[in-house]
Amino acid sequence: MPVHKSVLKRERENEARRLANRINKSRAHTAKTRLDEAIAAKDKEAAYKKLRVFMSAVDKNAKRGIFHKNKANRLKARATKKVKVAFNELAPVAE
């Protein structure tokens, strides 16, 4: 076990950051789950509201450095595409 004051402080800081990152990742994951539920229920208005909540959570994680900006953009693009395809606003594209 380390005994240097700076190492002990670093351990405390890392644990606090880890917990904060986990909470924020979970918030984005929960928003994605709720978006998927709204899409499955075929509720267009709710789906677009949940999409905005999801995008906000992902953007906040990217801003905080929890997600890389490219990952954030990829997640948002896929979610938007999923909503548009579900409500026939975009032709489905073979992936």
Side-chain angles (χ1 to χ4, degrees):
M1 200 61 199
V3 293
H4 297 288
K5 287 171 69 174
S6 61
V7 174
L8 295 173
K9 180 180 177 182
R10 178 60 81 184
E11 285 180 348
R12 288 193 309 268
E13 289 173 340
N14 287 342
E15 181 65 13
R17 289 183 184 127
R18 185 185 68 81
L19 292 174
N21 289 345
R22 195 169 105 187
I23 288 167
N24 287 310
K25 275 187 190 178
S26 176
R27 188 170 289 138
H29 179 73
T30 301
K32 173 81 167 75
T33 303
R34 292 192 178 139
L35 172 62
D36 290 340
E37 290 170 356
I39 291 170
K42 297 291 184 190
D43 187 352
K44 184 176 179 179
E45 187 176 323
Y48 276 100
K49 285 183 181 180
K50 301 295 182 185
L51 179 63
R52 283 196 299 275
V53 171
F54 173 68
M55 287 183 155
S56 175
V58 169
D59 282 335
K60 286 177 184 176
N61 284 341
K63 180 179 74 173
R64 294 174 178 140
I66 298 167
F67 290 165
H68 189 278
K69 67 176 186 169
N70 291 353
K71 176 177 179 167
N73 288 335
R74 184 178 66 245
L75 291 172
K76 293 189 303 181
R78 288 179 181 172
T80 303
K81 181 178 174 183
K82 189 172 186 179
V83 170
K84 288 187 179 284
V85 168
F87 297 108
N88 295 323
E89 296 174 4
L90 182 72
V93 178
E95 292 182 10

Coordinates of all heavy atoms in Angstrom, one line a residue:
M1 N 0.8 -1.2 0.0 CA 0.0 0.0 0.0 C 0.9 1.2 0.0 O 1.8 1.3 0.8 CB -0.9 -0.1 1.3 CG -2.1 0.7 1.3 SD -3.3 0.3 0.0 CE -4.2 1.7 0.0
P2 N 0.6 2.2 -0.9 CA 1.5 3.4 -0.9 C 1.3 4.2 0.3 O 0.2 4.3 0.9 CB 0.9 4.1 -2.2 CG -0.4 3.6 -2.4 CD -0.4 2.2 -1.9
V3 N 2.4 4.9 0.7 CA 2.3 5.8 1.9 C 2.6 7.2 1.6 O 2.5 8.0 2.5 CB 3.3 5.3 2.9 CG1 2.9 3.9 3.5 CG2 4.7 5.2 2.4
H4 N 2.9 7.6 0.3 CA 3.1 9.0 0.0 C 1.8 9.7 0.0 O 0.8 9.2 -0.6 CB 3.8 9.1 -1.3 CG 5.2 8.5 -1.4 ND1 6.3 9.0 -0.7 CD2 5.6 7.3 -1.9 CE1 7.3 8.2 -0.9 NE2 6.9 7.2 -1.6
K5 N 1.8 10.9 0.5 CA 0.6 11.7 0.5 C 0.0 12.0 -0.9 O -1.2 11.9 -1.1 CB 0.8 13.0 1.3 CG 1.0 12.9 2.7 CD 1.4 14.2 3.4 CE 0.4 15.2 3.4 NZ 0.8 16.4 4.2
S6 N 0.9 12.2 -1.8 CA 0.5 12.5 -3.2 C -0.2 11.3 -3.8 O -1.2 11.5 -4.6 CB 1.6 13.0 -4.0 OG 2.6 12.0 -4.1
V7 N 0.3 10.1 -3.5 CA -0.2 8.9 -4.1 C -1.6 8.7 -3.5 O -2.6 8.3 -4.2 CB 0.7 7.7 -3.9 CG1 0.0 6.4 -4.3 CG2 2.0 7.9 -4.6
L8 N -1.8 8.9 -2.2 CA -3.1 8.7 -1.6 C -4.1 9.6 -2.1 O -5.2 9.3 -2.4 CB -2.9 8.8 -0.1 CG -2.1 7.8 0.6 CD1 -1.9 8.2 2.1 CD2 -2.7 6.4 0.5
K9 N -3.7 10.9 -2.3 CA -4.6 11.9 -2.9 C -5.0 11.5 -4.3 O -6.1 11.6 -4.7 CB -3.9 13.3 -2.9 CG -4.8 14.3 -3.5 CD -4.1 15.7 -3.5 CE -5.0 16.7 -4.1 NZ -4.4 18.1 -4.1
R10 N -4.0 11.0 -5.1 CA -4.3 10.6 -6.5 C -5.3 9.5 -6.5 O -6.2 9.5 -7.4 CB -3.0 10.2 -7.2 CG -3.1 9.7 -8.6 CD -3.8 10.8 -9.5 NE -2.7 11.7 -9.9 CZ -3.0 12.8 -10.6 NH1 -4.3 13.0 -11.0 NH2 -2.1 13.6 -11.0
E11 N -5.2 8.5 -5.6 CA -6.1 7.4 -5.5 C -7.5 8.0 -5.2 O -8.5 7.5 -5.8 CB -5.7 6.4 -4.4 CG -4.6 5.6 -4.8 CD -4.2 4.6 -3.8 OE1 -4.6 4.7 -2.6 OE2 -3.4 3.6 -4.1
R12 N -7.6 8.9 -4.3 CA -9.0 9.5 -4.0 C -9.5 10.2 -5.2 O -10.7 10.0 -5.5 CB -8.8 10.5 -2.8 CG -8.6 9.9 -1.5 CD -8.8 10.8 -0.3 NE -8.1 12.1 -0.5 CZ -6.9 12.4 0.0 NH1 -6.2 11.4 0.6 NH2 -6.3 13.5 -0.2
E13 N -8.7 11.0 -5.9 CA -9.2 11.7 -7.1 C -9.6 10.7 -8.1 O -10.7 10.9 -8.8 CB -8.1 12.6 -7.6 CG -7.7 13.8 -6.7 CD -6.5 14.5 -7.2 OE1 -5.7 14.0 -8.0 OE2 -6.4 15.7 -6.9
N14 N -8.8 9.7 -8.4 CA -9.2 8.7 -9.4 C -10.5 8.0 -9.1 O -11.3 7.8 -10.0 CB -8.1 7.7 -9.6 CG -6.8 8.3 -10.3 OD1 -6.9 9.3 -10.9 ND2 -5.7 7.6 -10.1
E15 N -10.7 7.7 -7.9 CA -12.0 7.0 -7.5 C -13.1 7.9 -7.7 O -14.2 7.5 -8.2 CB -11.9 6.5 -6.0 CG -13.1 5.8 -5.6 CD -13.4 4.5 -6.3 OE1 -12.5 4.0 -7.0 OE2 -14.5 3.9 -6.1
A16 N -13.0 9.2 -7.3 CA -14.1 10.1 -7.5 C -14.4 10.3 -9.0 O -15.6 10.4 -9.4 CB -13.7 11.5 -6.9
R17 N -13.4 10.4 -9.8 CA -13.6 10.6 -11.3 C -14.2 9.3 -11.9 O -15.0 9.4 -12.7 CB -12.2 10.9 -11.9 CG -11.7 12.3 -11.6 CD -10.4 12.6 -12.3 NE -10.0 13.9 -11.9 CZ -8.7 14.2 -11.5 NH1 -7.8 13.2 -11.4 NH2 -8.4 15.4 -11.1
R18 N -13.7 8.2 -11.4 CA -14.3 6.9 -11.9 C -15.8 6.8 -11.7 O -16.6 6.5 -12.6 CB -13.6 5.7 -11.3 CG -14.0 4.4 -11.9 CD -13.4 3.2 -11.1 NE -13.9 3.1 -9.8 CZ -15.0 2.5 -9.5 NH1 -15.8 2.0 -10.4 NH2 -15.4 2.4 -8.2
L19 N -16.2 7.2 -10.5 CA -17.6 7.1 -10.1 C -18.4 8.2 -11.0 O -19.5 7.9 -11.4 CB -17.8 7.4 -8.6 CG -17.3 6.3 -7.7 CD1 -17.4 6.7 -6.3 CD2 -18.0 5.0 -8.0
A20 N -17.9 9.4 -11.1 CA -18.6 10.4 -11.9 C -18.7 9.9 -13.4 O -19.7 10.1 -14.0 CB -17.8 11.7 -11.8
N21 N -17.6 9.4 -13.9 CA -17.7 8.9 -15.3 C -18.7 7.8 -15.4 O -19.4 7.7 -16.4 CB -16.3 8.4 -15.7 CG -15.3 9.5 -15.9 OD1 -15.7 10.6 -16.0 ND2 -14.0 9.1 -16.0
R22 N -18.8 6.9 -14.5 CA -19.7 5.8 -14.5 C -21.1 6.3 -14.5 O -22.0 5.8 -15.2 CB -19.4 4.8 -13.3 CG -20.1 3.5 -13.5 CD -19.6 2.5 -12.4 NE -20.6 2.4 -11.4 CZ -20.5 1.8 -10.3 NH1 -19.3 1.2 -10.0 NH2 -21.5 1.6 -9.5
I23 N -21.4 7.3 -13.7 CA -22.7 7.9 -13.6 C -23.1 8.5 -14.9 O -24.2 8.3 -15.4 CB -22.8 8.9 -12.4 CG1 -22.8 8.2 -11.1 CG2 -24.0 9.8 -12.6 CD1 -22.5 9.1 -9.9
N24 N -22.2 9.2 -15.5 CA -22.5 9.9 -16.8 C -22.7 8.9 -17.9 O -23.6 9.1 -18.8 CB -21.5 10.9 -17.1 CG -21.6 12.1 -16.2 OD1 -22.7 12.7 -16.0 ND2 -20.5 12.5 -15.6
K25 N -21.9 7.8 -18.0 CA -22.0 6.8 -19.0 C -23.4 6.1 -18.8 O -24.1 5.8 -19.8 CB -20.9 5.7 -18.9 CG -19.6 6.1 -19.6 CD -18.7 4.9 -19.5 CE -17.3 5.2 -20.0 NZ -16.4 4.1 -19.9
S26 N -23.7 5.9 -17.6 CA -25.0 5.2 -17.3 C -26.2 6.1 -17.7 O -27.2 5.6 -18.2 CB -25.1 4.9 -15.8 OG -26.4 4.4 -15.5
R27 N -26.0 7.4 -17.5 CA -27.1 8.3 -17.9 C -27.3 8.2 -19.4 O -28.5 8.2 -19.9 CB -26.7 9.7 -17.5 CG -27.8 10.7 -17.7 CD -27.5 12.1 -17.0 NE -27.5 11.9 -15.6 CZ -26.7 12.4 -14.7 NH1 -25.6 13.1 -15.2 NH2 -26.8 12.2 -13.4
A28 N -26.2 8.2 -20.2 CA -26.4 8.1 -21.7 C -27.0 6.7 -22.1 O -27.8 6.7 -22.9 CB -25.0 8.3 -22.3
H29 N -26.5 5.7 -21.4 CA -27.1 4.3 -21.7 C -28.5 4.2 -21.4 O -29.3 3.7 -22.2 CB -26.3 3.3 -20.9 CG -26.8 1.9 -21.1 ND1 -26.5 1.2 -22.3 CD2 -27.5 1.0 -20.4 CE1 -27.1 0.0 -22.3 NE2 -27.7 -0.1 -21.1
T30 N -29.0 4.8 -20.3 CA -30.4 4.8 -19.9 C -31.2 5.6 -20.9 O -32.3 5.2 -21.3 CB -30.6 5.4 -18.5 OG1 -29.8 4.6 -17.6 CG2 -32.0 5.4 -18.1
A31 N -30.7 6.8 -21.4 CA -31.4 7.6 -22.4 C -31.5 6.8 -23.7 O -32.6 6.8 -24.3 CB -30.6 8.9 -22.6
K32 N -30.5 6.0 -24.0 CA -30.6 5.2 -25.3 C -31.6 4.1 -25.1 O -32.4 3.8 -26.0 CB -29.2 4.5 -25.5 CG -29.2 3.5 -26.6 CD -29.1 4.2 -28.0 CE -28.7 3.2 -29.1 NZ -29.8 2.4 -29.5
T33 N -31.7 3.5 -23.9 CA -32.7 2.4 -23.7 C -34.1 3.0 -23.7 O -35.0 2.4 -24.4 CB -32.5 1.8 -22.3 OG1 -31.2 1.3 -22.2 CG2 -33.5 0.7 -22.0
R34 N -34.3 4.2 -23.2 CA -35.6 4.8 -23.2 C -36.0 5.2 -24.7 O -37.2 5.2 -25.1 CB -35.7 6.0 -22.3 CG -35.6 5.6 -20.9 CD -35.9 6.6 -19.9 NE -35.9 6.1 -18.5 CZ -35.3 6.7 -17.5 NH1 -34.8 7.9 -17.6 NH2 -35.3 6.1 -16.3
L35 N -35.0 5.6 -25.4 CA -35.2 5.9 -26.8 C -35.7 4.7 -27.6 O -36.7 4.7 -28.4 CB -34.0 6.5 -27.5 CG -34.0 6.7 -29.0 CD1 -35.1 7.7 -29.4 CD2 -32.6 7.2 -29.5
D36 N -35.0 3.6 -27.4 CA -35.4 2.3 -28.0 C -36.8 1.9 -27.6 O -37.6 1.4 -28.4 CB -34.4 1.2 -27.6 CG -33.0 1.4 -28.3 OD1 -33.0 2.2 -29.3 OD2 -32.1 0.9 -27.8
E37 N -37.2 2.1 -26.4 CA -38.5 1.8 -25.9 C -39.6 2.7 -26.6 O -40.7 2.2 -27.0 CB -38.7 2.0 -24.4 CG -37.9 0.9 -23.6 CD -37.8 1.2 -22.1 OE1 -38.3 2.3 -21.7 OE2 -37.2 0.4 -21.4
A38 N -39.3 3.9 -26.8 CA -40.2 4.8 -27.5 C -40.4 4.4 -29.0 O -41.5 4.5 -29.5 CB -39.8 6.3 -27.4
I39 N -39.3 4.0 -29.6 CA -39.3 3.6 -31.0 C -40.2 2.3 -31.1 O -41.0 2.1 -32.0 CB -37.9 3.3 -31.5 CG1 -37.2 4.7 -31.7 CG2 -38.0 2.6 -32.9 CD1 -35.7 4.6 -32.0
A40 N -40.0 1.4 -30.1 CA -40.7 0.1 -30.1 C -42.2 0.3 -29.9 O -43.0 -0.4 -30.5 CB -40.1 -0.8 -29.1
A41 N -42.5 1.4 -29.2 CA -43.9 1.7 -28.9 C -44.6 2.5 -30.1 O -45.7 2.8 -30.0 CB -44.1 2.5 -27.6
K42 N -43.7 2.8 -31.1 CA -44.2 3.6 -32.3 C -44.8 4.9 -31.9 O -45.7 5.4 -32.5 CB -45.3 2.8 -33.1 CG -44.7 1.5 -33.6 CD -43.8 1.7 -34.7 CE -43.3 0.4 -35.3 NZ -42.2 0.5 -36.2
D43 N -44.2 5.5 -30.9 CA -44.6 6.9 -30.4 C -43.6 7.9 -31.0 O -42.5 8.1 -30.4 CB -44.7 6.9 -28.9 CG -45.3 8.2 -28.4 OD1 -45.5 9.1 -29.2 OD2 -45.5 8.3 -27.1
K44 N -44.0 8.5 -32.1 CA -43.1 9.4 -32.8 C -42.7 10.6 -31.9 O -41.5 11.0 -31.8 CB -43.7 9.9 -34.1 CG -42.9 10.7 -35.0 CD -43.6 11.0 -36.3 CE -42.7 11.9 -37.2 NZ -43.4 12.2 -38.4
E45 N -43.6 11.3 -31.3 CA -43.3 12.5 -30.5 C -42.4 12.1 -29.4 O -41.4 12.8 -29.1 CB -44.6 13.1 -30.0 CG -44.4 14.4 -29.3 CD -45.8 15.0 -28.9 OE1 -46.8 14.9 -29.6 OE2 -45.8 15.7 -27.8
A46 N -42.7 11.0 -28.6 CA -41.9 10.6 -27.5 C -40.5 10.2 -28.0 O -39.5 10.5 -27.4 CB -42.5 9.5 -26.8
A47 N -40.4 9.6 -29.2 CA -39.1 9.2 -29.7 C -38.2 10.4 -30.0 O -37.0 10.3 -29.7 CB -39.3 8.3 -31.0
Y48 N -38.8 11.4 -30.6 CA -38.0 12.6 -30.8 C -37.6 13.3 -29.6 O -36.5 13.9 -29.5 CB -38.7 13.5 -31.8 CG -38.5 13.1 -33.3 CD1 -39.4 12.4 -34.0 CD2 -37.3 13.4 -33.9 CE1 -39.2 12.0 -35.3 CE2 -37.1 13.0 -35.2 CZ -38.0 12.3 -35.9 OH -37.8 11.9 -37.2
K49 N -38.4 13.3 -28.6 CA -38.0 13.9 -27.3 C -36.9 13.1 -26.6 O -35.9 13.7 -26.1 CB -39.2 14.0 -26.3 CG -40.2 15.0 -26.7 CD -41.3 15.1 -25.6 CE -42.3 16.2 -26.0 NZ -43.5 16.2 -25.1
K50 N -37.0 11.8 -26.7 CA -36.0 10.9 -26.1 C -34.7 11.0 -26.9 O -33.6 10.9 -26.4 CB -36.4 9.5 -26.1 CG -37.7 9.2 -25.3 CD -37.5 9.5 -23.8 CE -38.8 9.2 -23.0 NZ -38.7 9.6 -21.7
L51 N -34.8 11.3 -28.2 CA -33.6 11.4 -29.0 C -32.9 12.7 -28.6 O -31.6 12.6 -28.5 CB -34.0 11.5 -30.5 CG -32.9 11.7 -31.5 CD1 -31.9 10.6 -31.5 CD2 -33.4 12.0 -32.9
R52 N -33.6 13.8 -28.3 CA -32.9 15.0 -27.9 C -32.2 14.8 -26.5 O -31.1 15.2 -26.3 CB -33.9 16.1 -27.8 CG -34.3 16.7 -29.1 CD -35.0 18.1 -29.0 NE -36.2 18.0 -28.2 CZ -37.4 17.7 -28.8 NH1 -37.5 17.4 -30.1 NH2 -38.5 17.7 -28.0
V53 N -32.9 14.0 -25.6 CA -32.3 13.7 -24.3 C -31.0 12.9 -24.5 O -30.0 13.2 -23.9 CB -33.3 13.0 -23.4 CG1 -32.6 12.5 -22.1 CG2 -34.5 13.9 -23.1
F54 N -31.1 11.9 -25.4 CA -30.0 11.0 -25.6 C -28.8 11.8 -26.2 O -27.6 11.7 -25.8 CB -30.3 9.9 -26.6 CG -29.2 9.1 -27.0 CD1 -28.5 8.2 -26.1 CD2 -28.8 9.1 -28.3 CE1 -27.4 7.5 -26.5 CE2 -27.7 8.3 -28.8 CZ -27.0 7.5 -27.9
M55 N -29.1 12.7 -27.2 CA -28.0 13.5 -27.8 C -27.4 14.4 -26.8 O -26.2 14.6 -26.8 CB -28.6 14.3 -29.0 CG -28.9 13.4 -30.2 SD -29.4 14.5 -31.5 CE -29.0 13.5 -32.9
S56 N -28.2 15.0 -25.9 CA -27.7 15.9 -24.9 C -26.7 15.1 -24.0 O -25.6 15.6 -23.7 CB -28.8 16.5 -24.1 OG -28.3 17.3 -23.1
A57 N -27.1 14.0 -23.5 CA -26.3 13.2 -22.6 C -25.0 12.8 -23.3 O -23.9 12.8 -22.7 CB -27.0 11.9 -22.2
V58 N -25.0 12.4 -24.6 CA -23.8 12.0 -25.3 C -22.9 13.2 -25.5 O -21.7 13.1 -25.4 CB -24.2 11.3 -26.7 CG1 -23.0 11.2 -27.6 CG2 -24.9 10.0 -26.5
D59 N -23.5 14.3 -25.9 CA -22.7 15.6 -26.1 C -22.0 16.0 -24.8 O -20.8 16.4 -24.8 CB -23.5 16.7 -26.6 CG -23.8 16.6 -28.1 OD1 -23.0 16.0 -28.8 OD2 -24.8 17.2 -28.5
K60 N -22.7 15.8 -23.7 CA -22.1 16.2 -22.4 C -20.9 15.3 -22.1 O -19.9 15.7 -21.6 CB -23.1 16.1 -21.3 CG -24.1 17.3 -21.3 CD -25.1 17.2 -20.2 CE -26.1 18.4 -20.4 NZ -27.2 18.2 -19.4
N61 N -21.1 14.0 -22.4 CA -20.0 13.0 -22.1 C -18.8 13.3 -23.0 O -17.7 13.2 -22.6 CB -20.5 11.6 -22.3 CG -21.3 11.1 -21.2 OD1 -21.3 11.6 -20.1 ND2 -22.1 10.1 -21.4
A62 N -19.1 13.7 -24.2 CA -18.0 14.1 -25.2 C -17.2 15.3 -24.6 O -16.0 15.4 -24.7 CB -18.5 14.3 -26.6
K63 N -18.0 16.3 -24.2 CA -17.4 17.5 -23.7 C -16.5 17.2 -22.5 O -15.5 17.8 -22.3 CB -18.5 18.5 -23.3 CG -18.1 19.8 -22.8 CD -19.2 20.7 -22.5 CE -19.9 20.3 -21.2 NZ -21.0 21.2 -20.8
R64 N -17.0 16.3 -21.6 CA -16.2 16.0 -20.4 C -15.1 15.0 -20.6 O -14.3 14.7 -19.7 CB -17.2 15.3 -19.4 CG -18.2 16.3 -18.9 CD -19.2 15.6 -18.0 NE -20.2 16.6 -17.5 CZ -21.5 16.4 -17.3 NH1 -21.9 15.2 -17.7 NH2 -22.3 17.3 -16.9
G65 N -15.0 14.5 -21.9 CA -13.9 13.6 -22.2 C -14.2 12.1 -21.9 O -13.3 11.3 -21.9
I66 N -15.4 11.8 -21.5 CA -15.8 10.4 -21.2 C -15.9 9.6 -22.5 O -15.5 8.5 -22.6 CB -17.1 10.4 -20.4 CG1 -16.9 11.1 -19.1 CG2 -17.6 9.0 -20.2 CD1 -18.1 11.5 -18.3
F67 N -16.5 10.3 -23.5 CA -16.6 9.7 -24.9 C -15.7 10.5 -25.8 O -15.6 11.7 -25.7 CB -18.0 9.7 -25.5 CG -19.0 8.9 -24.8 CD1 -20.4 9.1 -25.1 CD2 -18.7 7.8 -24.0 CE1 -21.3 8.3 -24.5 CE2 -19.6 7.0 -23.4 CZ -21.0 7.3 -23.7
H68 N -15.1 9.8 -26.7 CA -14.3 10.5 -27.8 C -15.3 11.2 -28.7 O -16.5 10.7 -28.8 CB -13.5 9.5 -28.6 CG -12.5 10.2 -29.5 ND1 -12.9 10.7 -30.8 CD2 -11.2 10.5 -29.4 CE1 -11.9 11.2 -31.4 NE2 -10.8 11.1 -30.6
K69 N -15.0 12.4 -29.2 CA -16.0 13.1 -30.0 C -16.5 12.3 -31.2 O -17.6 12.4 -31.6 CB -15.4 14.5 -30.5 CG -14.3 14.4 -31.5 CD -13.8 15.7 -32.0 CE -12.8 15.6 -33.1 NZ -12.5 16.8 -33.7
N70 N -15.6 11.5 -31.8 CA -16.0 10.7 -32.9 C -17.0 9.6 -32.5 O -18.0 9.3 -33.2 CB -14.9 10.0 -33.6 CG -14.0 11.0 -34.4 OD1 -14.3 12.2 -34.5 ND2 -12.8 10.5 -34.9
K71 N -16.8 9.1 -31.3 CA -17.8 8.1 -30.8 C -19.1 8.8 -30.5 O -20.2 8.2 -30.9 CB -17.3 7.4 -29.5 CG -18.3 6.5 -28.9 CD -17.8 5.8 -27.7 CE -18.9 4.9 -27.1 NZ -18.4 3.9 -26.2
A72 N -19.1 10.0 -30.0 CA -20.3 10.7 -29.7 C -21.1 10.9 -31.0 O -22.3 10.7 -31.1 CB -20.0 12.0 -29.0
N73 N -20.4 11.4 -32.0 CA -21.0 11.6 -33.3 C -21.6 10.4 -33.9 O -22.7 10.4 -34.5 CB -20.0 12.3 -34.3 CG -19.8 13.8 -33.9 OD1 -20.6 14.4 -33.2 ND2 -18.6 14.3 -34.3
R74 N -20.9 9.3 -33.8 CA -21.3 8.0 -34.3 C -22.6 7.5 -33.6 O -23.6 7.1 -34.3 CB -20.2 6.9 -34.2 CG -20.6 5.6 -34.8 CD -19.5 4.6 -34.7 NE -19.2 4.2 -33.3 CZ -18.1 4.5 -32.6 NH1 -17.1 5.1 -33.2 NH2 -17.9 4.1 -31.4
L75 N -22.6 7.6 -32.3 CA -23.8 7.2 -31.5 C -25.0 8.1 -31.9 O -26.1 7.6 -32.1 CB -23.5 7.4 -30.0 CG -22.5 6.4 -29.4 CD1 -22.2 6.8 -28.0 CD2 -23.1 5.0 -29.5
K76 N -24.8 9.4 -32.0 CA -25.9 10.3 -32.4 C -26.4 10.0 -33.8 O -27.6 10.0 -34.0 CB -25.5 11.7 -32.3 CG -25.2 12.2 -30.8 CD -25.0 13.6 -30.7 CE -23.9 14.2 -31.6 NZ -23.6 15.6 -31.4
A77 N -25.5 9.8 -34.7 CA -25.9 9.5 -36.1 C -26.7 8.2 -36.2 O -27.8 8.1 -36.9 CB -24.7 9.4 -37.0
R78 N -26.3 7.2 -35.5 CA -27.0 5.9 -35.5 C -28.4 6.0 -34.9 O -29.3 5.4 -35.4 CB -26.2 4.8 -34.8 CG -25.0 4.4 -35.6 CD -24.2 3.3 -34.9 NE -23.0 3.0 -35.7 CZ -22.0 2.2 -35.3 NH1 -22.0 1.7 -34.0 NH2 -21.0 1.9 -36.0
A79 N -28.5 6.7 -33.8 CA -29.7 6.9 -33.1 C -30.7 7.7 -34.0 O -31.9 7.3 -34.1 CB -29.5 7.6 -31.8
T80 N -30.2 8.7 -34.6 CA -31.1 9.5 -35.5 C -31.6 8.7 -36.7 O -32.7 8.7 -37.0 CB -30.3 10.8 -36.0 OG1 -29.8 11.5 -34.9 CG2 -31.2 11.6 -36.9
K81 N -30.7 7.9 -37.2 CA -31.0 7.1 -38.4 C -32.1 6.1 -37.9 O -33.1 5.8 -38.7 CB -29.8 6.4 -38.9 CG -30.0 5.5 -40.1 CD -28.7 4.9 -40.5 CE -28.9 3.9 -41.6 NZ -27.6 3.2 -42.0
K82 N -31.9 5.5 -36.8 CA -32.9 4.5 -36.3 C -34.3 5.1 -36.1 O -35.3 4.5 -36.5 CB -32.3 4.0 -34.9 CG -33.1 2.8 -34.4 CD -32.4 2.2 -33.2 CE -33.0 0.9 -32.8 NZ -32.3 0.3 -31.6
V83 N -34.3 6.3 -35.6 CA -35.6 7.0 -35.4 C -36.2 7.3 -36.8 O -37.4 7.0 -37.0 CB -35.5 8.3 -34.6 CG1 -36.7 9.1 -34.6 CG2 -35.1 8.0 -33.2
K84 N -35.5 7.8 -37.7 CA -36.0 8.2 -39.0 C -36.5 7.0 -39.8 O -37.5 7.0 -40.4 CB -35.0 9.0 -39.8 CG -34.8 10.4 -39.2 CD -33.9 11.2 -40.1 CE -33.8 12.6 -39.6 NZ -34.9 13.4 -39.9
V85 N -35.7 5.9 -39.7 CA -36.1 4.6 -40.4 C -37.4 4.1 -39.8 O -38.3 3.6 -40.5 CB -35.0 3.6 -40.4 CG1 -35.5 2.2 -40.8 CG2 -33.9 4.1 -41.3
A86 N -37.5 4.2 -38.4 CA -38.7 3.6 -37.7 C -40.0 4.3 -38.1 O -41.0 3.7 -38.1 CB -38.5 3.7 -36.2
F87 N -39.9 5.6 -38.4 CA -41.1 6.4 -38.8 C -41.1 6.7 -40.2 O -41.8 7.7 -40.6 CB -41.1 7.6 -37.9 CG -41.3 7.2 -36.4 CD1 -40.2 7.4 -35.5 CD2 -42.4 6.7 -35.9 CE1 -40.3 7.1 -34.2 CE2 -42.6 6.3 -34.6 CZ -41.5 6.5 -33.7
N88 N -40.4 5.9 -41.1 CA -40.4 6.0 -42.5 C -40.1 7.4 -43.0 O -40.7 7.9 -44.0 CB -41.8 5.6 -43.1 CG -42.1 4.2 -42.8 OD1 -41.2 3.4 -42.9 ND2 -43.3 3.9 -42.5
E89 N -39.2 8.1 -42.4 CA -38.7 9.4 -42.8 C -37.4 9.3 -43.6 O -36.9 10.2 -44.1 CB -38.6 10.3 -41.6 CG -39.9 10.6 -41.0 CD -39.7 11.4 -39.7 OE1 -38.6 11.9 -39.4 OE2 -40.8 11.6 -39.0
L90 N -36.9 8.1 -43.6 CA -35.6 7.8 -44.3 C -35.7 6.4 -44.8 O -36.1 5.5 -44.1 CB -34.5 8.0 -43.4 CG -33.1 7.8 -43.9 CD1 -32.7 8.9 -44.8 CD2 -32.1 7.7 -42.8
A91 N -35.4 6.2 -46.1 CA -35.4 4.8 -46.6 C -34.3 4.0 -45.9 O -33.2 4.4 -45.7 CB -35.2 4.9 -48.1
P92 N -34.6 2.7 -45.5 CA -33.6 1.9 -44.9 C -32.5 1.6 -45.9 O -32.7 1.3 -47.0 CB -34.4 0.6 -44.5 CG -35.7 0.7 -45.3 CD -35.9 2.1 -45.6
V93 N -31.3 1.6 -45.4 CA -30.1 1.4 -46.2 C -29.5 0.1 -45.7 O -29.4 -0.2 -44.5 CB -29.1 2.5 -46.0 CG1 -27.8 2.2 -46.8 CG2 -29.7 3.8 -46.4
A94 N -29.2 -0.8 -46.6 CA -28.5 -2.1 -46.2 C -27.2 -1.8 -45.6 O -26.4 -1.0 -46.1 CB -28.3 -3.0 -47.4
E95 N -26.9 -2.4 -44.5 CA -25.6 -2.1 -43.8 C -24.7 -3.3 -44.0 O -25.0 -4.4 -44.1 CB -25.9 -1.9 -42.3 CG -26.6 -0.6 -42.0 CD -26.8 -0.4 -40.5 OE1 -26.2 -1.1 -39.7 OE2 -27.6 0.5 -40.2

